[in-house]
Amino acid sequence: SQVPASQFKFLTRLHYWAADTVTHGKKSPWGEHEIDYVLFFTIPSKDQLTVKPHPDEVDDVKWVTKSKLLEMMDDKSLLFSPWFRLIAHRWLIPDGG
């Protein structure tokens, strides 16, 4: 295993609810209501980690700089999950970068 569970850093847990307005419109009865745990693990180089996301849970994986992430999050054609936006603005790009 490349990432030992004992070396993850627990940051917090998030409780959120978000309607799925993209799929079901502004009055969507469907969405997410979750408690998510935020764990971080730092690696010296992306070459030292093999990422194998579950296809039902992850649409895409991309390594980007903070400035590129800010640019991508401003792009209205790209969709980010509500929990990722919360995490990004709180820990990855606080105060807008």
Side-chain angles (χ1 to χ4, degrees):
S1 154
Q2 291 181 321
V3 182
S6 63
Q7 293 183 17
F8 276 93
K9 179 180 180 184
F10 169 79
L11 291 182
T12 193
R13 63 179 175 245
L14 299 171
H15 177 209
Y16 80 96
W17 180 88
D20 185 356
T21 57
V22 172
T23 306
H24 302 286
K26 289 184 180 182
K27 295 186 178 184
S28 173
W30 303 104
E32 297 180 331
H33 186 191
E34 300 179 353
I35 295 176
D36 293 328
Y37 287 79
V38 181
L39 306 171
F40 270 38
F41 188 91
T42 304
I43 58 171
S45 167
K46 66 183 180 182
D47 300 327
Q48 296 178 351
L49 181 67
T50 302
V51 179
K52 296 188 237 177
H54 191 289
D56 292 340
E57 295 289 333
V58 178
D59 286 335
D60 196 11
V61 174
K62 185 173 189 170
W63 296 88
V64 297
T65 63
K66 285 184 184 182
S67 60
K68 181 64 176 176
L69 179 59
L70 281 168
E71 179 184 316
M72 291 171 67
M73 290 182 81
D74 284 340
D75 185 339
K76 301 298 182 206
S77 70
L78 298 176
L79 298 176
F80 293 91
S81 66
W83 59 262
F84 181 80
R85 286 188 179 277
L86 289 169
I87 292 167
H89 288 294
R90 178 110 186 238
W91 290 288
L92 300 177
I93 49 173
D95 302 320

